[in-house]
Amino acid sequence: MKIAIPVGEYLGLESPVYGHFGSAPVFALVDSETMSVEAIGNRDQSHVHGACSPMKALAGARPDVVVVGGIGMGAVVGLRAAGIKVYRCVEGTVADAVRQLEAEE
């Protein structure tokens, strides 16, 4: 499964989960089977509040799931319309978020 997680600073699996989807400077894209991770810069970080384009933010990446600390309803609707599930993870690292998601699935 491909998982996108917004982070404030990219440190691989040790990146801390960022508090909000739309304003995150970068996303960690994790393959949960191999635990490989890559950085994707947020291509919509400068959007007007409430006008986040989640697919633009993800730079065309098509994760199966987004795990996030906080997210606006417009971004949730846009992600779900693209067939991407959204889960919440309040704090911790990317590795913590993947473990939490796998425990819930």
Side-chain angles (χ1 to χ4, degrees), residues 1-7 17-24 26-32 40 42 52-72 74-90 93-94 96-98 100-102 104-105:
M1 169 173 34
K2 298 280 186 188
I3 307 164
I5 304 168
V7 299
V17 175
Y18 194 73
H20 191 73
F21 178 88
S23 60
V26 67
F27 297 92
L29 184 62
V30 181
D31 181 324
S32 65
I40 300 171
N42 183 344
C52 177
S53 173
M55 299 316 294
K56 181 179 177 185
L58 291 169
R62 302 288 297 187
D64 301 298
V65 175
V66 167
V67 179
V68 63
I71 189 167
V76 170
V77 169
L79 290 167
R80 287 183 178 161
I84 300 169
K85 296 178 183 178
V86 179
Y87 290 91
R88 188 151 189 246
C89 177
V90 178
T93 66
V94 166
D96 294 333
V98 171
Q100 179 182 336
L101 177 63
E102 290 177 339
E104 291 181 19
E105 286 277 301

Side-chain angles (χ1 to χ4, degrees), residues 22-46:
S23 60
V26 67
F27 297 92
L29 184 62
V30 181
D31 181 324
S32 65
E33 291 182 25
T34 64
M35 292 305 286
S36 63
V37 60
E38 65 180 284
I40 300 171
N42 183 344
R43 298 231 176 117
D44 194 39
Q45 188 177 10
S46 299

